[in-house]
Amino acid sequence: MSLADYTPSPNGPTVETVLSVQHYTDRLFKFRVTRPASLRFRSGEFVMIGLLGDDKRPILRAYSVASPEWDEELEFYSIKVPDGPLTSRLAGIQPGDKILLGRKPTGTLVLDALTPGRRLYMFSTGTGFAPFASLTRDPATYERFEEVIVTHTCRDAAELAYSAELIGGLVEDPLVGEVAGGKIRRVATTTRETTPLMGRITDLISSGKLFAHLGVPPLDPATDRAMICGSLQMTLDTKALMLAAGLREGAVSEPGDFVIEKAFVG
Ligand code: A2P
């Protein structure tokens, strides 16, 4: 079903054009779409995106915006679920195709939901890296924190390509290259393929291996802040470790030491 004849309602999603698509593995891809001038969001937030189903009704899912708030285009990073109502269709999009975009971005993985600190951890698994693709390209992240540590854990090395490309490319980014260069570090780990650093992030935190690897002290609420994004269970397990270290959960309405959000799938 094409969106060519779809008439957007005043409060409903707008119709945007796909600008580029890049497939990383048979499970993962990124795409960029036009950004309406009216769309405002904070780096780290999510928005509804979708396509029309066979019955011509919109199938919408929440997606973290992977591009920063200053970018003229919007970037998304997606999993492909073979029988997923949206992602099975989305996996086939090509430049020039149309997609639906919600009008109200929201979310808790925003800098304003954190109290000031020295070191910011961004813990992610799978497509949970997407909001950090936004935040690591935002100069505000480096204005607020002296050190930024992004962890990305996937099943195998091929699934780490997007974060490797993105974080690796930051040094050449005209806007954040200079500030990010000396502040950001990426820790990539796998759980099902042998790579230099293996294990779930939760195990690496609780064993202390993460901190030994980085050469930093264990989590400390006096200095450390964290953002967490992954599967529901990953966010809950990582949250328990933050609470055990004495960090308090925050929200936009009441900033704290860490914030969590489930990565969106399906
Ligand atoms: P594992 O291979 O041990 O399941 P997925 O591709 O299924 O979304 O998983 C992405 C990564 O998140 C995998 O490396 C997976 O490890 C890891 N993971 C899954 N559940 C948890 C959890 N509860 N806590 C930490 N990491 C998890």
Side-chain angles (χ1 to χ4, degrees):
M1 169 61 207
S2 149
L3 275 164
D5 307 321
Y6 182 79
T7 314
S9 62
N11 297 315
T14 58
V15 178
E16 303 303 326
T17 305
V18 176
L19 299 170
S20 63
V21 183
Q22 185 178 343
H23 293 267
Y24 289 93
T25 68
D26 55 5
R27 289 211 311 152
L28 295 163
F29 69 114
K30 84 165 175 197
F31 56 98
R32 291 177 74 86
V33 305
T34 51
R35 175 179 179 175
S38 58
L39 190 88
R40 296 268 167 275
F41 69 98
R42 292 188 278 193
S43 297
E45 285 188 325
F46 64 85
V47 67
M48 304 301 286
I49 62 172
L51 292 171
L52 292 186
D54 295 334
D55 60 1
K56 301 187 184 179
R57 292 206 190 147
I59 306 169
L60 293 159
R61 295 285 183 274
Y63 267 80
S64 290
V65 183
S67 46
E69 61 185 23
W70 54 262
D71 199 327
E72 286 167 18
E73 301 172 0
L74 295 172
E75 182 170 313
F76 297 98
Y77 181 55
S78 181
I79 192 141
K80 306 175 213 177
V81 182
D83 52 359
L86 178 61
T87 60
S88 62
R89 291 178 162 80
L90 211 49
I93 55 169
Q94 306 276 354
D97 287 352
K98 305 289 182 191
I99 69 148
L100 296 168
L101 176 75
R103 293 182 197 258
K104 291 194 171 64
T106 184
T108 52
L109 296 182
V110 293
L111 294 168
D112 287 344
L114 293 173
T115 50
R118 209 187 80 69
R119 183 182 295 119
L120 175 60
Y121 285 96
M122 299 176 178
F123 296 117
S124 68
T125 55
T127 55
F129 175 72
F132 305 140
S134 174
L135 284 156
T136 54
R137 287 187 275 186
D138 190 327
T141 301
Y142 309 98
E143 284 158 18
R144 298 210 195 182
F145 293 93
E146 288 171 35
E147 206 178 328
V148 179
I149 294 162
V150 188
T151 80
H152 192 201
T153 303
C154 293
R155 297 179 187 187
D156 57 43
E159 298 188 333
L160 294 165
Y162 179 57
S163 67
E165 174 186 288
L166 200 133
I167 302 293
L170 283 179
V171 281
E172 279 141 43
D173 186 301
L175 198 62
V176 297
E178 226 166 278
V179 272
K183 289 190 171 185
I184 193 162
R185 282 197 280 173
R186 169 177 172 271
V187 178
T189 90
T190 54
T191 49
R192 302 191 193 183
E193 185 188 355
T194 306
T195 57
L197 190 60
M198 291 197 65
R200 288 187 171 193
I201 192 60
T202 41
D203 294 334
L204 295 171
I205 293 171
S206 54
S207 66
K209 270 192 194 162
L210 175 68
F211 311 108
H213 173 80
L214 288 163
V216 300
L219 286 171
D220 178 352
T223 51
D224 297 339
R225 301 292 172 262
M227 293 176 150
I228 302 161
C229 192
S231 65
L232 175 62
Q233 197 54 51
M234 177 273 187
T235 61
L236 296 176
D237 292 351
T238 313
K239 170 180 168 164
L241 294 169
M242 300 299 115
L243 293 173
L247 278 72
R248 288 168 306 111
E249 186 172 2
V252 178
S253 55
E254 195 179 349
D257 306 326
F258 74 93
V259 282
I260 60 175
E261 202 138 79
K262 190 166 70 70
F264 305 99
V265 289

